Structure formats: C-alpha cells, structure tokens
Amino acid sequence: MIDINQLHYLFKQKVNKVDSLQNINFFVEQIDEYLNQALFVFIEQILKVAELDQNKTEFIGELVKVVELSGTNAEKKFTAQLPDDYYRHLRSYSTVNGCSEIISNYPVQYDDLNSFLTDINYKPSLAWKETGYQLKGKEIVVWTNDEFLIDAVNLTYVSRHPRLGNPINSRNGSYNLPDGTAAQQQNLILSNRNQDNIITDIATLLVSIDTTDSSYHLKLNKLIQNYVL
C-alpha cells in the first residue's frame, strides 16, 4: 500500500517540472481528482494488455480476487449475484455434481444466445464440460439448458479500487464529492513495481495534455509499454 501523501508529493514534484504548469497551485481536491482519473486509466490500460497476456494482471494483483458464488438454477440457467466490489471478469468456471466436476465457462454474445442454446456443437454440455455465461447488471448468468444443475460458480475478477482521497490535508480538513458524500482518506492499495510513479506520471500527463490530442495517446502508450516490459 502506498500513502496518499506520497502520491500528492510526487504529483506536485512532476507538475512543477512541466513549464506550462509551473506556479499553478493545485488544491487537494483537484489533485485527488487527477489521481483517480490516472488510476482508472492505469487499470484500464493494464486490462487491455492482460487480454493478450493474463500474467500482466500481476500489476494490479491486489485488486484480483477469487470467490465462490452460490445462486439459483431456473429456466435453463444458473444466476448468481456478483460481488459488491466487482469491476471486471477475468475468468470463471462452474462446479456440478456436488462440486466434484468442473465445467469451463466462456462468454456468449446476446445476439448469439438462441443459436448457442440450440446448436448441438455449442450448447451447454456436461459431456464436453463447457457452457456459456453472460453478465447482466449485477448478476452473472451461466446457461445450463436444463441439462445439468450448477452447484456454484468460481469467479476470478478485478475488484474496484476505492476512491483515492486526502481530505484531511484539504483547506477545511474535509470536502464533499459532487454527489454530496464526504471524501474519505484512502491510500493506494497497489504497491507493485513503482505504481506510485506510473500513476502520478499519468496524472501529470492528464493535466498537461488535452486527452483529445493525439500526442496524449502516444505518450500514454509509451508510459504503459515502458512499465509492463
């Protein structure tokens, strides 16, 4: 875990090195906002890289969780509630027959659902030990076609990072978010491979360059590539 004050320090230090940003006095609330934007960008970029190499999830390892979800079998499917802190599905499998057998789960597009359920080569199959799943709002739906019953779903997922915040060092010792809730003191959970530097680098980039500028994407990609290699 990295102290939020360390992130603020690095942000101010790096911003002061950018000519166009020198002598700008950023309030705590503004720094927190830029850091949260940068954290979101960082996680999204790592997940894009992880689509090609799942080992790259190590860079956000503190956010990766594994849970066993119980649910209900009905109407050709098993339905379970996703965890409250769910952010992104990484992988999952289902257990059947008293959890003694494992069935692989793979994503099914909504437009392909009817074909999936009726095609003998793709429909849920206990013999082939595979079936399809869909994410619907706060639920995961795993299709059974009423050919078997699922005991549970084992889900590996990326959890949401709590909003970064340093309100105790703000002008009034506290501040409210746009929705009216009080900002909470929150450190960076991630602590692997200089994440304080990459996130403050991205935050500085967000401040200094309009994100619609093509150079923003070039510089962001360079930051991420240098970080994950």
Side-chain angles (χ1 to χ4, degrees):
M1 184 173 290
I2 299 171
D3 194 291
I4 187 66
N5 290 292
Q6 169 72 359
L7 296 178
H8 275 243
Y9 172 78
L10 288 173
F11 174 85
K12 292 176 181 177
Q13 185 184 54
K14 292 174 180 180
V15 161
N16 285 334
K17 292 180 180 180
V18 179
D19 290 340
S20 61
L21 300 176
Q22 286 181 359
N23 302 318
I24 296 178
N25 183 26
F26 289 93
F27 294 120
V28 165
E29 298 93 321
Q30 294 172 307
I31 298 175
D32 281 350
E33 182 61 29
Y34 279 118
L35 290 175
N36 278 288
Q37 290 179 29
L39 176 60
F40 172 79
V41 169
F42 171 71
I43 292 172
E44 283 295 309
Q45 291 297 313
I46 291 299
L47 288 174
K48 287 181 181 179
V49 174
E51 288 178 359
L52 301 176
D53 181 0
Q54 286 214 341
N55 290 326
K56 299 304 182 182
T57 57
E58 68 174 294
F59 297 116
I60 53 172
E62 292 89 344
L63 299 180
V64 177
K65 298 181 180 180
V66 180
V67 294
E68 185 177 88
L69 304 176
S70 58
T72 304
N73 287 281
E75 299 177 348
K76 298 184 178 183
K77 61 184 181 291
F78 173 90
T79 305
Q81 288 289 122
L82 293 168
D84 290 339
D85 63 351
Y86 172 87
Y87 180 65
R88 188 70 59 82
H89 180 286
L90 290 179
R91 53 190 172 275
S92 64
Y93 63 83
S94 302
T95 55
V96 298
N97 293 335
C99 297
S100 63
E101 294 187 69
I102 292 176
I103 293 180
S104 300
N105 296 340
Y106 60 88
V108 175
Q109 300 295 326
Y110 286 92
D111 292 345
D112 298 333
L113 181 58
N114 289 334
S115 297
F116 161 70
L117 292 175
T118 57
D119 191 317
I120 191 171
N121 295 312
Y122 297 103
K123 70 178 184 176
S125 171
L126 188 57
W128 290 102
K129 297 187 184 304
E130 63 179 15
T131 188
Y133 76 88
Q134 294 175 319
L135 299 171
K136 296 185 176 182
K138 297 182 179 180
E139 297 178 333
I140 182 170
V141 173
V142 183
W143 293 95
T144 66
N145 226 13
D146 289 339
E147 296 187 18
F148 52 85
L149 297 178
I150 292 176
D151 299 310
V153 169
N154 184 288
L155 172 68
T156 301
Y157 71 103
V158 177
S159 60
R160 286 193 303 273
H161 193 294
R163 186 184 189 279
L164 298 170
N166 196 18
I168 63 175
N169 285 327
S170 63
R171 290 160 291 177
N172 299 317
S174 65
Y175 70 87
N176 289 336
L177 301 175
D179 64 3
T181 60
Q184 301 297 310
Q185 196 73 15
Q186 176 63 53
N187 295 325
L188 177 67
I189 293 176
L190 306 177
S191 59
N192 182 29
R193 285 194 57 178
N194 296 320
Q195 275 140 341
D196 51 349
N197 275 306
I198 182 65
I199 289 171
T200 50
D201 280 343
I202 295 173
T204 305
L205 185 63
L206 290 170
V207 176
S208 62
I209 299 179
D210 184 342
T211 57
T212 61
D213 189 325
S214 60
S215 62
Y216 163 76
H217 297 285
L218 291 173
K219 292 183 178 181
L220 175 61
N221 288 335
K222 185 176 180 179
L223 282 174
I224 296 297
Q225 288 173 8
N226 289 340
Y227 177 77
V228 299
L229 294 179

